[in-house]
């Protein structure tokens, strides 16, 4: 990931702003590195657009907040409520991934169909050439 990309993510609010040194240099911590790896995976491997990426990151932020709340609570009913909240957030992330998978499968089906049509056309041409 380039410096420019990292700064852009910071500018649009995807990446939290890091602390700065006295000279103004950004001081990234390990949590920033982990966060950037998540972003990179979501963008490159999952093919998320910037909008999808922002949505995905907001779910991660909400989940982290709920996890912190859960750790503070000792009442079993409240703990169960916090866990249910986390499950709802995870459902949202899973829906986003499932939609992406559906779109990928549509493209895959189109490519397989096109490939089969190409092979069929080749067989027809080969049959015509054998007749001659």
């Amino acid at each position: 990931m380039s410096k420019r990309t990292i700064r852009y993510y910071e500018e649009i609010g995807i990446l939290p702003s890091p602390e700065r040194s006295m000279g103004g240099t950004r001081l990234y911590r390990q949590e920033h590195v982990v966060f950037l790896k998540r972003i990179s995976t979501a963008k490159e491997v999952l093919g998320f657009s910037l909008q999808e990426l922002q949505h995905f990151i907001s779910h991660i932020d909400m989940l982290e907040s709920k996890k912190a709340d859960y750790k503070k609570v000792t009442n079993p009913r409240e703990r169960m409520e916090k866990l249910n909240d986390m499950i709802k957030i995870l459902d949202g992330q899973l829906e986003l991934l499932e939609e992406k998978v559906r779109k990928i499968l549509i493209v895959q089906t189109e490519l397989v169909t096109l490939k089969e049509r190409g092979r069929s056309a080749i067989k027809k041409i080969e049959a015509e050439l054998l007749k001659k």
Side-chain angles (χ1 to χ4, degrees):
M1 195 174 287
S2 70
K3 290 179 197 178
R4 187 176 185 175
T5 300
I6 294 169
R7 288 183 183 142
Y8 179 68
Y9 288 165
E10 182 183 338
E11 183 181 312
I12 64 173
I14 290 178
L15 177 67
S17 295
E19 295 178 29
R20 293 182 182 254
S21 69
M22 296 293 277
T25 304
R26 290 170 173 83
L27 302 173
Y28 294 104
R29 295 187 306 265
Q30 184 61 33
E31 66 189 51
H32 290 103
V33 174
V34 169
F35 194 78
L36 286 170
K37 284 182 182 178
R38 274 191 196 154
I39 289 172
S40 179
T41 299
K43 188 153 176 41
E44 292 175 25
V45 176
L46 301 173
F48 282 177
S49 66
L50 265 181
Q51 185 178 6
E52 290 169 326
L53 187 58
Q54 287 175 314
H55 189 67
F56 188 75
I57 297 303
S58 73
H59 278 160
I60 290 172
D61 291 344
M62 286 188 292
L63 187 60
E64 291 301 320
S65 174
K66 295 294 181 182
K67 282 171 40 177
D69 289 347
Y70 174 80
K71 290 176 181 178
K72 295 175 186 174
V73 176
T74 57
N75 179 297
R77 289 190 193 281
E78 287 181 49
R79 288 177 72 88
M80 194 165 70
E81 183 180 311
K82 299 294 180 192
L83 287 170
N84 279 323
D85 290 345
M86 285 189 273
I87 288 170
K88 286 178 187 174
I89 293 167
L90 290 166
D91 282 342
Q93 285 183 305
L94 287 169
E95 285 176 23
L96 188 61
L97 291 176
E98 288 165 3
E99 179 61 27
K100 187 58 75 174
V101 167
R102 276 192 292 274
K103 289 177 182 177
I104 289 170
L105 290 175
I106 288 169
V107 171
Q108 181 185 31
T109 300
E110 290 171 355
L111 292 174
V112 167
T113 301
L114 187 58
K115 179 181 169 182
E116 289 170 356
R117 288 175 53 200
R119 285 191 172 153
S120 177
I122 288 171
K123 285 181 183 179
K124 285 180 183 177
I125 292 170
E126 287 173 341
E128 288 176 13
L129 289 174
L130 288 176
K131 288 180 186 178
K132 292 182 178 183

